[in-house]
Amino acid sequence: MTDSDHILLAHGGGGELSDALVRTEILSRFPSRELARMADSAVLDFPGTRLAFTTDGYVVRPLFFHGGDIGRLCVAGTVNDLLMSGARPLALALGVIVRDGFPMADFRRVLDSVAATAREAGVEVVAGDTKTVDRDAADGLFLTTSGVGVVPEGRQLDYAAARDGDAVLVSGTMGDHGIAIMAEREQLGFETPVATDAAPLVELVEALLAASPGARCLKDPTRGGLAAALNEIARAAGRTIVLDESAVPVRDAVAGACDLLGLDPLTVANEGKLVAVVPADEAAPALAAMRGARYGEAAALIGRVQDGRPRVIGTSALGGQRIVEMPYGEDLPRIC
Amino acid sequence: MTDSDHILLAHGGGGELSDALVRTEILSRFPSRELARMADSAVLDFPGTRLAFTTDGYVVRPLFFHGGDIGRLCVAGTVNDLLMSGARPLALALGVIVRDGFPMADFRRVLDSVAATAREAGVEVVAGDTKTVDRDAADGLFLTTSGVGVVPEGRQLDYAAARDGDAVLVSGTMGDHGIAIMAEREQLGFETPVATDAAPLVELVEALLAASPGARCLKDPTRGGLAAALNEIARAAGRTIVLDESAVPVRDAVAGACDLLGLDPLTVANEGKLVAVVPADEAAPALAAMRGARYGEAAALIGRVQDGRPRVIGTSALGGQRIVEMPYGEDLPRIC
């Protein structure tokens, strides 16, 4: 893991190593203020309005898993990245890279899933491209989804906007997606199988932002999980986030699987959840709004922003404290 | 090639088989008027303006070749797709999929090339994503570039707009990119090596559209070459294109390599060229404008649109005629 002459699998994990790669190799070459924000979408000043623009690659393995597949994942992920920037998703573009000999039935199944999830999110796929590669040049199918959206006048979400005393909320249980994938891969037998949470959060975000007009920022805790998401916000805001670990919703099956696999549920990926930082006096209405919306039933208040060094402190029910670190590399490769 | 149960390498070739895959498997699932146009970019009615949006995957092998690399290719390709829709390129998003163990020096070299080509095109990379996959899951690095641009008020380029009597122009020599790649791959020794033509055509298109305000459509003859580009225009317009084959500029080295490899230069990919259909009385100023712009020195008038069945008829200097077919599959796999 100390080889600096090669790309490592861990460079894609969404943790410290990903962050370092982006900072040293990408940001240095591309002098864009929007890129440097490292937010979920770029927001561009467009004649007469503000445009959100984002892209994400999907390399998950296996392609099909309990509750979803790479097609649902790619639409949910890109739509959610637009939503996290405060944008209303407008349109998607789909790039497919697929190997020679890939089963046509699986190809159709993936496209059906892309189409169904786009319909659910109320967004059109307006552009696309398919490239084929030799049989041994890729192990299946990779998708890259890009999205554009409109940020309504006056809306400004920014990780750096978090203030002392703000409430930190999550929209539901943590770790479902990562454990659904691992269960599939490791053939873990659950009494009740864990399904991916992959979902487009259009309705949830609309309800949340209507109830909390002062919301500071939204973030989807994907690769690197809640731990990475909170650390990114803490760093951008230059403040401490105090996390009440016992308040973080985690399914029993997910907690059990994490024990079994030696994983921390806080670092496991989610694909249909969000973290919201809102002013303290908007926490109650924001929670109520999320709980009343699809995919938000288990929303919870999990922490506070406070003055202090940019880091995340976890407190347990017994009063213990620990630093919740930014994950280093890749606990779960090819999770999305 | 008759296996309909699997994706074939030829499905990515930009010919009949690609077209069939898109029509039967993609358009049927995604009910978007813009997608159905199958143009180089989607054009979206955006509050107050029109937005062009496009995506393209790049899987070229080798990654580095005479005159360019996958990084230059991906920026040129996506910028050109925006330009072909009449848009001014505004911003790019870069999706990287790279295998574990990929040399960091090559990774940097590709990014340097992306950055330099974006600077040349005057467009910012504002969003990005990097995914890593296992060592044996991909044979190197794949890029997917998406772009957004603004279509100026009143500009409307459409393949279907070609009219009887219109002039068909190309901006320069055909087949350079494909032959540059094949030469690299087959270790062909040329006295003067053929370089890729990969280039962003921002200045060329600006000059052309200023000189030909009535231009009907632009198209970049990439996969499938000039033959695919002209057939697509003929089909969309429901008219015949008569191509004067002796007027098509082809470098001697490219013609020689095509002879050697059994290829038709009209079906070989270009990555820094365009086809323009313009009203007959704007042909001369359009040609002059292109010839005065960077990358347009060898621009030529190569044909006419006329009433007739949607097809392309090639005429030789000796007066012979042939149907220039839409290429079927993949002459040159992984050319871009």
Side-chain angles (χ1 to χ4, degrees), chain A residues 5-7 9 12 25 29 46 49 56-57 61 90 100-102 104 108 112 129-132 134 137-139 146 223 334, chain B residues 5-7 9 12 25 29 46 49 56-57 61 90 100-102 104 108 112 129-132 134 137-139 146 223 334:
Chain A
D5 293 338
H6 294 92
I7 294 287
L9 196 52
E25 302 300 340
R29 286 175 170 82
F46 205 70
T49 182
D56 256 307
R61 197 181 51 171
L90 188 73
D100 181 56
F102 188 81
M104 190 64 86
R108 294 186 178 121
D112 281 339
D129 177 63
T130 303
K131 288 292 189 308
T132 51
D134 329 49
D139 70 350
S146 308
R223 283 181 291 178
R334 300 185 66 180
Chain B
D5 292 339
H6 294 92
I7 293 286
L9 196 53
E25 301 300 339
R29 286 176 170 83
F46 205 69
T49 182
D56 257 308
R61 198 180 48 170
L90 189 72
D100 181 56
F102 188 81
M104 190 63 86
R108 294 186 179 122
D112 281 339
D129 178 62
T130 303
K131 289 290 189 309
T132 50
D134 329 50
D139 69 351
S146 308
R223 283 181 291 177
R334 300 185 66 179

Short mmCIF file of all heavy atoms in Angstrom, two decimals, chain A residues 5-7 9 12 25 29 46 49 56-57 61 90 100-102 104 108 112 129-132 134 137-139 146 223 334, chain B residues 5-7 9 12 25 29 46 49 56-57 61 90 100-102 104 108 112 129-132 134 137-139 146 223 334:
data_model
loop_
_atom_site.label_atom_id
_atom_site.label_comp_id
_atom_site.label_asym_id
_atom_site.label_seq_id
_atom_site.Cartn_x
_atom_site.Cartn_y
_atom_site.Cartn_z
N ASP A 5 4.24 4.50 -7.25
CA ASP A 5 4.46 4.51 -8.70
C ASP A 5 3.30 3.90 -9.48
O ASP A 5 3.33 3.87 -10.70
CB ASP A 5 5.74 3.73 -9.05
CG ASP A 5 6.98 4.43 -8.54
OD1 ASP A 5 6.90 5.65 -8.30
OD2 ASP A 5 8.01 3.76 -8.37
N HIS A 6 2.31 3.39 -8.76
CA HIS A 6 1.19 2.74 -9.43
C HIS A 6 -0.13 3.16 -8.80
O HIS A 6 -0.19 3.47 -7.62
CB HIS A 6 1.34 1.21 -9.36
CG HIS A 6 2.52 0.70 -10.12
ND1 HIS A 6 3.74 0.51 -9.54
CD2 HIS A 6 2.66 0.38 -11.42
CE1 HIS A 6 4.60 0.08 -10.46
NE2 HIS A 6 3.97 -0.01 -11.60
N ILE A 7 -1.15 3.14 -9.62
CA ILE A 7 -2.51 3.28 -9.11
C ILE A 7 -2.82 2.01 -8.32
O ILE A 7 -2.50 0.90 -8.73
CB ILE A 7 -3.51 3.41 -10.28
CG1 ILE A 7 -3.28 4.73 -11.04
CG2 ILE A 7 -4.94 3.29 -9.79
CD1 ILE A 7 -3.73 5.96 -10.31
N LEU A 9 -5.83 -0.21 -6.06
CA LEU A 9 -7.27 -0.40 -5.91
C LEU A 9 -7.81 0.57 -4.85
O LEU A 9 -8.88 1.15 -4.99
CB LEU A 9 -7.54 -1.86 -5.50
CG LEU A 9 -8.97 -2.37 -5.66
CD1 LEU A 9 -9.50 -2.11 -7.05
CD2 LEU A 9 -9.03 -3.85 -5.33
N GLY A 12 -9.42 4.12 -5.21
CA GLY A 12 -10.81 4.34 -5.57
C GLY A 12 -11.77 4.21 -4.41
O GLY A 12 -12.97 4.20 -4.60
N GLU A 25 -2.98 14.95 -7.89
CA GLU A 25 -2.89 14.66 -9.33
C GLU A 25 -3.96 15.36 -10.17
O GLU A 25 -3.75 15.62 -11.34
CB GLU A 25 -2.97 13.14 -9.57
CG GLU A 25 -1.88 12.34 -8.84
CD GLU A 25 -0.46 12.74 -9.26
OE1 GLU A 25 -0.28 13.34 -10.34
OE2 GLU A 25 0.47 12.46 -8.48
N ARG A 29 -3.81 20.02 -11.79
CA ARG A 29 -3.81 20.15 -13.25
C ARG A 29 -4.99 20.92 -13.80
O ARG A 29 -4.96 21.39 -14.93
CB ARG A 29 -3.82 18.75 -13.88
CG ARG A 29 -2.49 18.05 -13.77
CD ARG A 29 -2.56 16.65 -14.29
NE ARG A 29 -1.23 16.07 -14.39
CZ ARG A 29 -0.57 15.52 -13.38
NH1 ARG A 29 -1.11 15.47 -12.19
NH2 ARG A 29 0.64 15.04 -13.56
N PHE A 46 -24.68 30.15 -15.30
CA PHE A 46 -25.15 29.94 -16.65
C PHE A 46 -25.96 31.17 -16.98
O PHE A 46 -26.60 31.72 -16.10
CB PHE A 46 -26.04 28.68 -16.61
CG PHE A 46 -26.13 27.97 -17.89
CD1 PHE A 46 -25.04 27.29 -18.39
CD2 PHE A 46 -27.31 27.96 -18.61
CE1 PHE A 46 -25.13 26.60 -19.57
CE2 PHE A 46 -27.41 27.27 -19.80
CZ PHE A 46 -26.32 26.60 -20.28
N THR A 49 -29.24 31.58 -15.04
CA THR A 49 -29.56 30.60 -14.01
C THR A 49 -28.28 29.91 -13.54
O THR A 49 -27.19 30.25 -14.00
CB THR A 49 -30.58 29.56 -14.54
OG1 THR A 49 -30.89 28.66 -13.50
CG2 THR A 49 -30.01 28.80 -15.71
N ASP A 56 -20.20 10.34 -12.60
CA ASP A 56 -19.79 9.26 -11.71
C ASP A 56 -19.68 7.97 -12.50
O ASP A 56 -20.56 7.66 -13.30
CB ASP A 56 -20.80 9.06 -10.58
CG ASP A 56 -20.29 9.64 -9.27
OD1 ASP A 56 -19.17 9.30 -8.86
OD2 ASP A 56 -21.01 10.45 -8.67
N GLY A 57 -18.61 7.23 -12.22
CA GLY A 57 -18.44 5.92 -12.83
C GLY A 57 -18.96 4.83 -11.91
O GLY A 57 -18.92 4.96 -10.69
N ARG A 61 -19.44 -4.86 -8.58
CA ARG A 61 -19.42 -6.29 -8.89
C ARG A 61 -20.01 -7.05 -7.71
O ARG A 61 -19.55 -6.82 -6.59
CB ARG A 61 -17.98 -6.73 -9.13
CG ARG A 61 -17.84 -8.05 -9.83
CD ARG A 61 -16.41 -8.40 -10.02
NE ARG A 61 -15.68 -8.29 -8.76
CZ ARG A 61 -14.43 -8.70 -8.57
NH1 ARG A 61 -13.76 -9.21 -9.56
NH2 ARG A 61 -13.85 -8.59 -7.41
N LEU A 90 -32.28 17.56 -14.15
CA LEU A 90 -32.91 17.93 -15.42
C LEU A 90 -32.75 16.81 -16.45
O LEU A 90 -33.70 16.46 -17.14
CB LEU A 90 -32.24 19.20 -15.93
CG LEU A 90 -32.85 19.89 -17.13
CD1 LEU A 90 -34.15 20.57 -16.74
CD2 LEU A 90 -31.88 20.90 -17.72
N ASP A 100 -16.89 -7.56 -25.22
CA ASP A 100 -17.30 -8.51 -26.24
C ASP A 100 -17.76 -9.81 -25.55
O ASP A 100 -17.09 -10.30 -24.64
CB ASP A 100 -16.09 -8.80 -27.14
CG ASP A 100 -16.39 -9.76 -28.27
OD1 ASP A 100 -17.32 -9.48 -29.03
OD2 ASP A 100 -15.69 -10.78 -28.36
N GLY A 101 -18.90 -10.32 -25.93
CA GLY A 101 -19.40 -11.56 -25.37
C GLY A 101 -20.30 -11.39 -24.16
O GLY A 101 -20.81 -12.37 -23.60
N PHE A 102 -20.54 -10.15 -23.73
CA PHE A 102 -21.41 -9.90 -22.58
C PHE A 102 -22.83 -10.34 -22.95
O PHE A 102 -23.32 -10.04 -24.03
CB PHE A 102 -21.37 -8.41 -22.23
CG PHE A 102 -22.09 -8.06 -20.96
CD1 PHE A 102 -21.47 -8.24 -19.74
CD2 PHE A 102 -23.38 -7.54 -20.99
CE1 PHE A 102 -22.13 -7.91 -18.56
CE2 PHE A 102 -24.04 -7.22 -19.82
CZ PHE A 102 -23.41 -7.40 -18.60
N MET A 104 -26.50 -10.53 -23.81
CA MET A 104 -27.47 -9.51 -24.21
C MET A 104 -28.60 -9.41 -23.19
O MET A 104 -29.13 -8.32 -22.94
CB MET A 104 -28.01 -9.84 -25.60
CG MET A 104 -28.83 -8.76 -26.24
SD MET A 104 -27.91 -7.23 -26.57
CE MET A 104 -27.20 -7.61 -28.18
N ARG A 108 -29.80 -5.98 -21.44
CA ARG A 108 -31.18 -5.46 -21.44
C ARG A 108 -31.68 -5.23 -20.02
O ARG A 108 -32.37 -4.25 -19.74
CB ARG A 108 -32.10 -6.46 -22.14
CG ARG A 108 -31.79 -6.59 -23.62
CD ARG A 108 -32.82 -7.47 -24.33
NE ARG A 108 -32.50 -7.52 -25.74
CZ ARG A 108 -32.24 -8.64 -26.43
NH1 ARG A 108 -32.30 -9.81 -25.83
NH2 ARG A 108 -31.95 -8.58 -27.71
N ASP A 112 -33.08 -1.76 -18.64
CA ASP A 112 -34.43 -1.67 -18.07
C ASP A 112 -34.39 -1.01 -16.71
O ASP A 112 -35.24 -0.19 -16.36
CB ASP A 112 -35.04 -3.07 -17.93
CG ASP A 112 -35.58 -3.61 -19.25
OD1 ASP A 112 -35.84 -2.81 -20.16
OD2 ASP A 112 -35.72 -4.84 -19.37
N ASP A 129 -23.76 6.82 -25.00
CA ASP A 129 -22.67 6.34 -25.84
C ASP A 129 -22.34 4.92 -25.37
O ASP A 129 -22.33 4.64 -24.18
CB ASP A 129 -21.44 7.24 -25.65
CG ASP A 129 -20.24 6.74 -26.44
OD1 ASP A 129 -20.33 6.70 -27.67
OD2 ASP A 129 -19.23 6.38 -25.82
N THR A 130 -22.10 4.02 -26.33
CA THR A 130 -21.71 2.65 -25.99
C THR A 130 -20.39 2.33 -26.65
O THR A 130 -20.23 2.51 -27.85
CB THR A 130 -22.78 1.65 -26.46
OG1 THR A 130 -24.02 2.00 -25.87
CG2 THR A 130 -22.41 0.24 -26.02
N LYS A 131 -19.42 1.88 -25.85
CA LYS A 131 -18.15 1.42 -26.40
C LYS A 131 -17.98 -0.06 -26.03
O LYS A 131 -18.31 -0.47 -24.91
CB LYS A 131 -16.98 2.21 -25.80
CG LYS A 131 -16.87 3.64 -26.29
CD LYS A 131 -16.50 3.75 -27.74
CE LYS A 131 -16.18 5.17 -28.18
NZ LYS A 131 -17.19 6.15 -27.85
N THR A 132 -17.48 -0.83 -26.99
CA THR A 132 -17.20 -2.24 -26.72
C THR A 132 -15.69 -2.44 -26.66
O THR A 132 -14.94 -1.77 -27.35
CB THR A 132 -17.78 -3.13 -27.83
OG1 THR A 132 -17.36 -2.63 -29.10
CG2 THR A 132 -19.30 -3.14 -27.77
N ASP A 134 -12.50 -5.66 -26.06
CA ASP A 134 -12.23 -7.08 -26.24
C ASP A 134 -12.66 -7.87 -25.00
O ASP A 134 -12.74 -7.33 -23.90
CB ASP A 134 -10.74 -7.35 -26.46
CG ASP A 134 -10.04 -6.22 -27.17
OD1 ASP A 134 -10.21 -5.05 -26.75
OD2 ASP A 134 -9.32 -6.48 -28.12
N ALA A 137 -10.53 -7.53 -21.98
CA ALA A 137 -10.12 -6.16 -21.64
C ALA A 137 -10.96 -5.57 -20.52
O ALA A 137 -10.62 -4.53 -19.96
CB ALA A 137 -10.21 -5.25 -22.86
N ALA A 138 -12.06 -6.23 -20.18
CA ALA A 138 -12.91 -5.77 -19.08
C ALA A 138 -13.69 -6.98 -18.58
O ALA A 138 -13.96 -7.90 -19.35
CB ALA A 138 -13.86 -4.67 -19.54
N ASP A 139 -14.04 -6.97 -17.31
CA ASP A 139 -14.69 -8.17 -16.78
C ASP A 139 -16.21 -8.09 -16.83
O ASP A 139 -16.88 -8.90 -16.19
CB ASP A 139 -14.17 -8.49 -15.38
CG ASP A 139 -14.63 -7.49 -14.34
OD1 ASP A 139 -15.19 -6.43 -14.73
OD2 ASP A 139 -14.43 -7.74 -13.15
N SER A 146 -23.67 10.91 -16.24
CA SER A 146 -23.50 12.34 -16.00
C SER A 146 -24.87 12.95 -15.88
O SER A 146 -25.83 12.43 -16.44
CB SER A 146 -22.75 12.99 -17.14
OG SER A 146 -21.56 12.28 -17.38
N ARG A 223 -19.17 6.05 -1.03
CA ARG A 223 -17.88 5.41 -0.70
C ARG A 223 -17.28 6.05 0.55
O ARG A 223 -17.22 7.27 0.64
CB ARG A 223 -16.88 5.60 -1.85
CG ARG A 223 -17.13 4.69 -3.01
CD ARG A 223 -16.08 4.93 -4.09
NE ARG A 223 -16.22 6.23 -4.74
CZ ARG A 223 -15.41 6.69 -5.69
NH1 ARG A 223 -14.38 5.97 -6.08
NH2 ARG A 223 -15.62 7.87 -6.25
N ARG A 334 -14.92 -1.97 -5.25
CA ARG A 334 -15.96 -2.06 -6.30
C ARG A 334 -17.36 -2.20 -5.71
O ARG A 334 -18.14 -3.06 -6.10
CB ARG A 334 -15.64 -3.21 -7.26
CG ARG A 334 -14.30 -2.99 -7.93
CD ARG A 334 -13.99 -4.02 -8.96
NE ARG A 334 -14.91 -3.92 -10.09
CZ ARG A 334 -14.83 -4.73 -11.14
NH1 ARG A 334 -13.90 -5.66 -11.18
NH2 ARG A 334 -15.65 -4.59 -12.14
N ASP B 5 -27.39 -13.13 -28.96
CA ASP B 5 -27.54 -13.28 -27.51
C ASP B 5 -26.41 -12.62 -26.74
O ASP B 5 -26.42 -12.62 -25.51
CB ASP B 5 -27.56 -14.77 -27.13
CG ASP B 5 -28.82 -15.45 -27.63
OD1 ASP B 5 -29.80 -14.73 -27.90
OD2 ASP B 5 -28.81 -16.68 -27.77
N HIS B 6 -25.43 -12.08 -27.44
CA HIS B 6 -24.30 -11.46 -26.77
C HIS B 6 -23.93 -10.13 -27.42
O HIS B 6 -24.15 -9.93 -28.61
CB HIS B 6 -23.08 -12.40 -26.82
CG HIS B 6 -23.28 -13.65 -26.04
ND1 HIS B 6 -23.77 -14.80 -26.60
CD2 HIS B 6 -23.09 -13.93 -24.72
CE1 HIS B 6 -23.88 -15.75 -25.67
NE2 HIS B 6 -23.48 -15.25 -24.52
N ILE B 7 -23.37 -9.27 -26.60
CA ILE B 7 -22.76 -8.05 -27.13
C ILE B 7 -21.51 -8.48 -27.90
O ILE B 7 -20.76 -9.34 -27.45
CB ILE B 7 -22.35 -7.11 -25.97
CG1 ILE B 7 -23.58 -6.59 -25.24
CG2 ILE B 7 -21.47 -5.98 -26.48
CD1 ILE B 7 -24.37 -5.54 -25.98
N LEU B 9 -17.99 -7.18 -30.17
CA LEU B 9 -17.06 -6.07 -30.32
C LEU B 9 -17.58 -5.12 -31.40
O LEU B 9 -17.50 -3.89 -31.27
CB LEU B 9 -15.69 -6.63 -30.70
CG LEU B 9 -14.49 -5.70 -30.56
CD1 LEU B 9 -14.43 -5.09 -29.17
CD2 LEU B 9 -13.20 -6.45 -30.85
N GLY B 12 -19.73 -1.86 -31.14
CA GLY B 12 -19.16 -0.56 -30.80
C GLY B 12 -18.53 0.16 -31.97
O GLY B 12 -17.88 1.17 -31.79
N GLU B 25 -32.34 -1.46 -28.56
CA GLU B 25 -32.16 -1.68 -27.12
C GLU B 25 -32.20 -0.37 -26.32
O GLU B 25 -32.54 -0.38 -25.14
CB GLU B 25 -30.84 -2.41 -26.86
CG GLU B 25 -30.75 -3.77 -27.55
CD GLU B 25 -31.84 -4.74 -27.12
OE1 GLU B 25 -32.44 -4.55 -26.05
OE2 GLU B 25 -32.12 -5.68 -27.90
N ARG B 29 -36.22 2.05 -24.78
CA ARG B 29 -36.34 2.13 -23.31
C ARG B 29 -36.36 3.56 -22.79
O ARG B 29 -36.80 3.80 -21.66
CB ARG B 29 -35.16 1.41 -22.66
CG ARG B 29 -35.28 -0.10 -22.74
CD ARG B 29 -34.08 -0.78 -22.18
NE ARG B 29 -34.32 -2.20 -22.04
CZ ARG B 29 -34.18 -3.08 -23.03
NH1 ARG B 29 -33.81 -2.68 -24.23
NH2 ARG B 29 -34.42 -4.36 -22.82
N PHE B 46 -33.63 25.14 -21.67
CA PHE B 46 -33.22 25.44 -20.32
C PHE B 46 -33.82 26.79 -20.02
O PHE B 46 -33.93 27.62 -20.92
CB PHE B 46 -31.69 25.52 -20.34
CG PHE B 46 -31.05 25.24 -19.03
CD1 PHE B 46 -31.07 23.97 -18.51
CD2 PHE B 46 -30.40 26.25 -18.35
CE1 PHE B 46 -30.45 23.70 -17.31
CE2 PHE B 46 -29.78 25.98 -17.15
CZ PHE B 46 -29.81 24.71 -16.62
N THR B 49 -32.38 29.77 -21.99
CA THR B 49 -31.37 29.49 -23.00
C THR B 49 -31.48 28.03 -23.44
O THR B 49 -32.35 27.30 -22.98
CB THR B 49 -29.96 29.79 -22.46
OG1 THR B 49 -29.01 29.55 -23.49
CG2 THR B 49 -29.63 28.93 -21.27
N ASP B 56 -19.27 10.72 -23.96
CA ASP B 56 -18.57 9.76 -24.81
C ASP B 56 -17.55 9.00 -24.00
O ASP B 56 -16.82 9.58 -23.20
CB ASP B 56 -17.85 10.48 -25.96
CG ASP B 56 -18.60 10.35 -27.27
OD1 ASP B 56 -18.92 9.22 -27.66
OD2 ASP B 56 -18.87 11.39 -27.88
N GLY B 57 -17.48 7.68 -24.26
CA GLY B 57 -16.47 6.85 -23.62
C GLY B 57 -15.26 6.69 -24.52
O GLY B 57 -15.39 6.71 -25.75
N ARG B 61 -6.79 1.85 -27.70
CA ARG B 61 -5.61 1.09 -27.36
C ARG B 61 -4.64 1.16 -28.53
O ARG B 61 -5.06 0.89 -29.65
CB ARG B 61 -6.01 -0.38 -27.11
CG ARG B 61 -4.97 -1.16 -26.36
CD ARG B 61 -5.44 -2.57 -26.16
NE ARG B 61 -5.97 -3.13 -27.42
CZ ARG B 61 -6.28 -4.42 -27.57
NH1 ARG B 61 -6.18 -5.25 -26.58
NH2 ARG B 61 -6.73 -4.88 -28.72
N LEU B 90 -18.90 24.80 -22.66
CA LEU B 90 -18.89 25.55 -21.40
C LEU B 90 -18.05 24.84 -20.35
O LEU B 90 -17.25 25.46 -19.66
CB LEU B 90 -20.33 25.67 -20.90
CG LEU B 90 -20.60 26.57 -19.72
CD1 LEU B 90 -20.48 28.03 -20.14
CD2 LEU B 90 -21.99 26.31 -19.15
N ASP B 100 -6.07 -1.43 -10.98
CA ASP B 100 -5.05 -1.58 -9.94
C ASP B 100 -3.71 -1.89 -10.61
O ASP B 100 -3.64 -2.74 -11.50
CB ASP B 100 -5.47 -2.74 -9.03
CG ASP B 100 -4.50 -2.98 -7.89
OD1 ASP B 100 -4.25 -2.04 -7.12
OD2 ASP B 100 -4.01 -4.11 -7.76
N GLY B 101 -2.66 -1.18 -10.22
CA GLY B 101 -1.33 -1.45 -10.77
C GLY B 101 -0.99 -0.62 -12.00
O GLY B 101 0.12 -0.75 -12.54
N PHE B 102 -1.90 0.22 -12.44
CA PHE B 102 -1.62 1.07 -13.61
C PHE B 102 -0.50 2.04 -13.26
O PHE B 102 -0.50 2.63 -12.19
CB PHE B 102 -2.90 1.83 -13.98
CG PHE B 102 -2.80 2.60 -15.27
CD1 PHE B 102 -2.97 1.96 -16.49
CD2 PHE B 102 -2.54 3.97 -15.27
CE1 PHE B 102 -2.88 2.67 -17.69
CE2 PHE B 102 -2.46 4.68 -16.46
CZ PHE B 102 -2.62 4.03 -17.67
N MET B 104 1.63 5.07 -12.43
CA MET B 104 1.28 6.44 -12.06
C MET B 104 1.82 7.43 -13.08
O MET B 104 1.17 8.45 -13.37
CB MET B 104 1.85 6.74 -10.66
CG MET B 104 1.36 8.02 -10.05
SD MET B 104 -0.43 8.06 -9.74
CE MET B 104 -0.50 7.28 -8.12
N ARG B 108 -0.44 10.26 -14.92
CA ARG B 108 -0.12 11.69 -14.95
C ARG B 108 -0.04 12.21 -16.38
O ARG B 108 -0.49 13.32 -16.68
CB ARG B 108 1.20 11.95 -14.23
CG ARG B 108 1.13 11.66 -12.75
CD ARG B 108 2.42 12.05 -12.02
NE ARG B 108 2.27 11.77 -10.60
CZ ARG B 108 3.07 10.95 -9.91
NH1 ARG B 108 4.11 10.36 -10.49
NH2 ARG B 108 2.84 10.74 -8.64
N ASP B 112 -2.20 15.22 -17.83
CA ASP B 112 -1.55 16.40 -18.42
C ASP B 112 -2.12 16.70 -19.80
O ASP B 112 -2.34 17.85 -20.16
CB ASP B 112 -0.03 16.17 -18.55
CG ASP B 112 0.69 16.36 -17.22
OD1 ASP B 112 0.14 17.03 -16.32
OD2 ASP B 112 1.81 15.82 -17.07
N ASP B 129 -14.50 12.07 -11.53
CA ASP B 129 -14.69 10.89 -10.68
C ASP B 129 -13.67 9.85 -11.11
O ASP B 129 -13.43 9.67 -12.30
CB ASP B 129 -16.11 10.35 -10.87
CG ASP B 129 -16.35 9.09 -10.06
OD1 ASP B 129 -16.27 9.18 -8.83
OD2 ASP B 129 -16.59 8.02 -10.65
N THR B 130 -13.04 9.19 -10.14
CA THR B 130 -12.09 8.13 -10.45
C THR B 130 -12.54 6.84 -9.76
O THR B 130 -12.78 6.83 -8.56
CB THR B 130 -10.67 8.50 -9.97
OG1 THR B 130 -10.30 9.73 -10.58
CG2 THR B 130 -9.67 7.43 -10.37
N LYS B 131 -12.66 5.78 -10.54
CA LYS B 131 -12.96 4.46 -9.98
C LYS B 131 -11.81 3.52 -10.32
O LYS B 131 -11.28 3.55 -11.43
CB LYS B 131 -14.25 3.90 -10.57
CG LYS B 131 -15.52 4.59 -10.12
CD LYS B 131 -15.85 4.33 -8.66
CE LYS B 131 -17.22 4.83 -8.26
NZ LYS B 131 -17.51 6.22 -8.60
N THR B 132 -11.43 2.71 -9.34
CA THR B 132 -10.40 1.71 -9.58
C THR B 132 -11.04 0.32 -9.63
O THR B 132 -12.01 0.06 -8.93
CB THR B 132 -9.34 1.73 -8.46
OG1 THR B 132 -10.00 1.67 -7.20
CG2 THR B 132 -8.52 3.01 -8.52
N ASP B 134 -10.03 -4.11 -10.12
CA ASP B 134 -8.97 -5.11 -9.93
C ASP B 134 -8.07 -5.18 -11.15
O ASP B 134 -8.47 -4.84 -12.26
CB ASP B 134 -9.55 -6.50 -9.69
CG ASP B 134 -10.88 -6.47 -8.99
OD1 ASP B 134 -11.77 -5.71 -9.43
OD2 ASP B 134 -11.06 -7.18 -8.01
N ALA B 137 -9.49 -6.84 -14.15
CA ALA B 137 -10.85 -6.46 -14.51
C ALA B 137 -10.89 -5.46 -15.65
O ALA B 137 -11.94 -5.18 -16.21
CB ALA B 137 -11.58 -5.88 -13.30
N ALA B 138 -9.73 -4.88 -15.99
CA ALA B 138 -9.66 -3.95 -17.10
C ALA B 138 -8.21 -3.95 -17.58
O ALA B 138 -7.30 -4.19 -16.79
CB ALA B 138 -10.08 -2.55 -16.68
N ASP B 139 -8.01 -3.67 -18.86
CA ASP B 139 -6.64 -3.78 -19.38
C ASP B 139 -5.89 -2.47 -19.34
O ASP B 139 -4.84 -2.36 -19.97
CB ASP B 139 -6.64 -4.40 -20.77
CG ASP B 139 -7.23 -3.50 -21.83
OD1 ASP B 139 -7.82 -2.46 -21.47
OD2 ASP B 139 -7.12 -3.83 -23.02
N SER B 146 -17.91 14.02 -20.38
CA SER B 146 -19.21 14.63 -20.64
C SER B 146 -19.00 16.12 -20.78
O SER B 146 -18.06 16.67 -20.21
CB SER B 146 -20.18 14.36 -19.50
OG SER B 146 -20.21 12.98 -19.22
N ARG B 223 -16.09 7.30 -35.41
CA ARG B 223 -16.24 5.87 -35.72
C ARG B 223 -17.09 5.68 -36.97
O ARG B 223 -18.15 6.27 -37.09
CB ARG B 223 -16.94 5.15 -34.55
CG ARG B 223 -16.05 4.90 -33.38
CD ARG B 223 -16.82 4.15 -32.29
NE ARG B 223 -17.85 4.99 -31.68
CZ ARG B 223 -18.69 4.57 -30.74
NH1 ARG B 223 -18.63 3.32 -30.30
NH2 ARG B 223 -19.59 5.39 -30.21
N ARG B 334 -11.61 -0.47 -31.01
CA ARG B 334 -10.99 0.38 -29.97
C ARG B 334 -10.12 1.47 -30.56
O ARG B 334 -8.99 1.69 -30.14
CB ARG B 334 -10.20 -0.50 -28.99
CG ARG B 334 -11.13 -1.50 -28.32
CD ARG B 334 -10.44 -2.30 -27.27
NE ARG B 334 -10.04 -1.45 -26.15
CZ ARG B 334 -9.43 -1.93 -25.08
NH1 ARG B 334 -9.13 -3.22 -25.01
NH2 ARG B 334 -9.10 -1.13 -24.10
#
